[in-house]
Amino acid sequence: MGKERMDDRAFADAVLREVPSVAVPAVLEARILADFDAAAARRRRHGVLRRWRDTIWPGAPLWKPASVLALSLLIGLSAGTLLPAASQSPVATAQTLALLDTTPALDLSGDL
Amino acid sequence: MSFDPDAELVARAGKGDRAAAQALMARHLPAMLNLARRMLSGQAEAEDCVQEAFLRLWTHAARWQPGRAKFETWLYRVTLNQCYDRLRRKPQAGLEVAENVPDPAPAADKMLENSGVTAEVEAALATLPERQRAAILLCHYQEHGNAEAAEILGISVEALESLLARGRRTLRTKLSHLRMGA
């Protein structure tokens, strides 16, 4: 059995040598390099976002700091829009403006 | 951890180093193309196959982590998976080739010219099941050791040796009429 396997292996080696190798066509090399250039260009475009991500949250996937930023903006905009309107009534605003327009009642000419 | 001679080139290619990409192609493209060509029996399909394999490399190079797997093993595995996908898209191609292979015995004396022998050997290879074919090609052409070839195929060394034994036996049965130097 062992000798038979060796014979099969030797035979396979001999017949397979009859199939020559093919050379790599230049066109194929050019296509593969073009794919490389396209992939590198895509990475450069995404590089700005990645540098921002690495500054804020090193090692995190891009969606995490992006989500936190979006949420912060939403909270900030909501607070900026709603809170000043809630804390000031129209009457209070008018009184404030009236006080600012009048001269303060101070008499500094008298003796102390 | 064993030294991976391609790790540095892959890292540089992942950063956009074109020279590193060209060096990787020079090292691996000829062997990959010949592996695909012998698996698929067609030049155009083989070229598409290796182009797709390299495209996956360019996409993943920036995230390549040395030490997890040898780069060459990964690259050959990707190439073979591309070959399997193409073979499975036309499942009857191998059987059709087998049916159309003429009975060699009557024309044996005419088949000793190199081009005839090449065609016969290629036809016999095409009749092997894809995993036997891959095992034969990795060990006989790519000169991988059994352990390397088994790792590429994702099987044990024993399973690889079984594939090799069956593949070699089939080749010998189909091509026994050829007078070889062995």
Side-chain angles (χ1 to χ4, degrees):
Chain A
M1 182 64 143
K3 185 178 184 309
E4 206 170 318
R5 285 201 170 183
M6 284 301 294
D7 290 341
D8 286 346
R9 181 176 181 167
F11 182 86
D13 276 337
V15 298
L16 293 172
R17 273 198 292 271
E18 296 298 322
V19 181
S21 298
V22 295
V24 177
V27 173
L28 175 61
E29 284 185 338
R31 290 202 321 249
I32 293 173
L33 274 175
D35 287 342
F36 173 81
D37 292 336
R42 269 197 305 276
R43 264 198 303 278
R44 278 193 296 275
R45 282 197 298 274
H46 293 153
V48 172
L49 287 173
R50 284 204 192 92
R51 281 195 291 277
W52 167 77
R53 185 268 321 269
D54 288 340
T55 303
I56 294 174
W57 199 331
L62 200 55
W63 65 267
K64 279 189 178 176
S67 303
V68 170
L69 179 62
L71 188 61
S72 306
L73 282 172
L74 184 64
I75 293 172
L77 285 172
S78 301
T81 305
L82 297 173
L83 285 179
S87 65
Q88 279 195 353
S89 68
V91 171
T93 306
Q95 286 177 342
T96 304
L97 288 173
L99 281 172
L100 289 171
D101 285 340
T102 56
T103 308
L106 287 175
D107 182 7
L108 300 176
S109 61
D111 295 329
L112 290 173
Chain B
M1 188 192 309
S2 59
F3 171 69
D4 188 348
D6 296 313
E8 190 206 335
L9 285 176
V10 174
R12 283 168 48 198
K15 292 174 185 168
D17 186 337
R18 205 172 199 260
Q22 288 175 305
L24 283 170
M25 287 169 59
R27 272 191 199 178
H28 298 293
L29 181 53
M32 287 168 65
L33 181 61
N34 278 281
L35 174 64
R37 173 74 179 76
R38 289 161 179 150
M39 280 294 293
L40 299 171
S41 305
Q43 180 71 10
E45 272 196 305
E47 290 185 10
D48 286 347
C49 176
V50 296
Q51 184 178 357
E52 182 62 36
F54 269 100
L55 181 58
R56 298 210 174 195
L57 167 57
W58 304 147
T59 304
H60 289 96
R63 296 192 292 272
W64 176 259
Q65 293 177 6
R68 280 177 60 184
K70 196 176 170 193
F71 169 74
E72 191 178 15
T73 301
W74 177 86
L75 191 61
Y76 275 96
R77 194 178 288 169
V78 169
T79 305
L80 279 174
N81 286 339
Q82 289 294 318
C83 292
Y84 295 152
D85 286 347
R86 280 161 176 78
L87 286 169
R88 286 163 196 167
R89 271 180 227 155
K90 23 182 196 173
Q92 299 305 316
L95 294 174
E96 284 168 1
V97 169
E99 287 169 5
N100 292 335
V101 172
D103 180 2
D109 56 341
K110 295 182 185 174
M111 290 297 185
L112 293 178
E113 295 174 5
N114 284 347
S115 58
V117 170
T118 300
E120 280 211 75
V121 175
E122 285 185 326
L125 268 175
T127 65
L128 293 177
E130 56 192 38
R131 284 161 67 81
Q132 285 183 25
R133 197 183 322 166
I136 292 279
L137 294 177
L138 286 172
C139 292
H140 284 269
Y141 284 118
Q142 310 295 330
E143 296 178 346
H144 290 288
N146 282 6
E148 274 183 302
E151 195 178 348
I152 290 169
L153 294 174
I155 59 178
S156 66
V157 173
E158 290 76 22
L160 173 82
E161 288 172 351
S162 173
L163 289 173
L164 286 172
R166 285 182 277 157
R168 288 165 180 159
R169 174 54 56 90
T170 302
L171 287 177
R172 191 165 185 186
T173 303
K174 289 185 180 294
L175 300 170
S176 57
H177 59 285
L178 297 177
R179 294 188 203 98
M180 291 289 134

